[in-house]
Amino acid sequence: MGLFSRRPAVAVDISPAVVAPRQTVTAVVSPDRPIDKVTSATLEWGYTNFYRYHWAGRADSAMAAAGEALWMSGDVGTNAGGDRDADEWVGVTKVDLPCADGVFTGGSAVFRVPSWAPGSSPEIARWSCRVIIERGGRDIDTHGEFAVRVGRGDVAADIGGVKVIMGAAETVIAVDLESPVCAAGEAIRGIVRLTPTRDLPDGDLAVCWRKSRESHPLSRTPASGGGLDGPIVGLGKHIPLRTGAQVALPFDIALPVDAPPTASAVHSSMKWFVQARLFYSGLTAPMTERVLCPIVVVNGVDRG
């Protein structure tokens, strides 16, 4: 063997490539040749969890010094830090691969995807099995990826009720959903019911979907924000709002085909809502009313 011999290549084949929660997936690890001087070989199932965090910057950085100069000159608001994208490996289970007399020739393992597994998406989780071979030479760290797709039968529909996020609830806004579970690429359907608590100015009602990625890293300061509103769907203009006269308006909101599924992971979560907002007419009108009604978004019926 030459002084600069090539490091062994290790293939990790996953079958099937797309699975649902509670299904099993198999990994077959195959080196291109026996690997010697091995002290341990492990295979770990888990996912890479994506999130955002707030980086405060270093006290001795050039930007921090510039920020102090701007503070002294009255230009307040400069921050040497900012929000950054990050990811962390979250291991679920680990198994030892056979290694006889310090030589690794291959192995396999089977994994049952947990019922709580966050669905695969570029915003929350990328599932894989990670193979680590520790040896006398350079260690080997490689992986094989697979996708977890979540369907209607994999989630719970009990998700809570409408929450007021703006306004004094002078008009009670209720959102009755055809189903609280909605698939990517399909429509969210339901009825918005307006119940005025007194005679109020006429109102304009609109709805949209709202996506919210919440970052909650265990050891970093989470970034703020993460919400995105979809296209506005108008349901009515100059709607009479009078005491005792409930108004019911149906809605149909299209979800994006690539909508990431609702998920809860260690360092971040994905939540979805129907947002309804009611504008009152007139310069002295009450504050705009906004409510959020939670929904669960799943992948489409086709699982690959």
Side-chain angles (χ1 to χ4, degrees):
M1 184 178 293
L3 179 62
F4 301 104
S5 59
R6 179 177 60 86
R7 184 171 57 169
V10 177
V12 182
D13 297 315
I14 307 294
S15 178
V18 180
V19 291
R22 302 181 184 87
Q23 291 183 343
T24 58
V25 59
T26 301
V28 177
V29 184
S30 307
D32 62 351
R33 64 178 186 272
I35 302 172
D36 59 5
K37 302 179 182 179
V38 175
T39 57
S40 72
T42 58
L43 185 151
E44 186 173 18
W45 299 93
Y47 59 92
T48 301
N49 192 184
F50 307 106
Y51 64 92
R52 287 180 65 80
Y53 73 98
H54 183 75
W55 180 69
R58 292 177 51 184
D60 59 350
S61 68
M63 281 299 295
E68 184 176 352
L70 288 169
W71 173 273
M72 297 299 291
S73 66
D75 294 327
V76 182
T78 299
N79 187 347
D83 292 344
R84 295 185 173 185
D85 292 315
D87 61 74
E88 297 280 350
W89 170 255
V90 178
V92 176
T93 186
K94 182 187 291 187
V95 296
D96 293 325
L97 295 174
C99 181
D101 299 324
V103 178
F104 178 73
T105 58
S108 63
V110 176
F111 174 62
R112 181 179 173 86
V113 180
S115 60
W116 49 260
S120 299
S121 75
E123 298 181 58
I124 298 295
R126 181 178 64 231
W127 282 88
S128 64
C129 71
R130 183 180 179 186
V131 176
I132 300 176
I133 301 173
E134 298 180 353
R135 55 194 300 264
R138 293 180 61 187
D139 293 345
I140 296 172
D141 187 341
T142 188
H143 67 277
E145 297 180 5
F146 61 99
V148 174
R149 292 176 62 85
V150 179
R152 294 179 185 273
D154 302 317
V155 298
D158 184 11
I159 53 176
V162 170
K163 179 181 178 181
V164 177
I165 60 171
M166 179 183 290
E170 295 193 68
T171 296
V172 177
I173 303 176
V175 180
D176 296 333
L177 298 168
E178 185 176 287
S179 170
V181 181
C182 309
E186 298 181 3
I188 312 165
R189 295 185 175 90
I191 297 174
V192 178
R193 301 184 190 277
L194 307 177
T195 305
T197 60
R198 62 182 179 88
D199 288 345
L200 292 162
D202 293 352
D204 297 346
L205 179 65
V207 294
C208 67
W209 55 253
R210 180 170 177 79
K211 178 179 72 171
S212 177
R213 183 176 79 161
E214 299 178 358
S215 294
H216 36 77
L218 298 183
S219 59
R220 286 172 163 167
T221 302
S224 58
L228 176 67
D229 290 346
I232 302 299
V233 178
L235 300 186
K237 290 184 175 294
H238 308 298
I239 302 168
L241 299 171
R242 305 295 180 262
T243 304
Q246 187 182 84
V247 179
L249 296 169
F251 65 85
D252 188 311
I253 308 170
L255 273 172
V257 175
D258 59 352
T262 298
S264 179
V266 172
H267 301 285
S268 60
S269 301
M270 180 64 68
K271 296 181 179 180
W272 286 87
F273 305 89
V274 170
Q275 179 176 233
R277 65 185 190 189
L278 178 65
F279 293 96
Y280 297 105
S281 61
L283 297 176
T284 59
M287 181 184 296
T288 299
E289 312 273 11
R290 289 179 186 262
V291 302
L292 292 178
C293 177
I295 61 172
V296 175
V297 172
V298 298
N299 296 114
V301 175
D302 180 15
R303 287 184 172 169

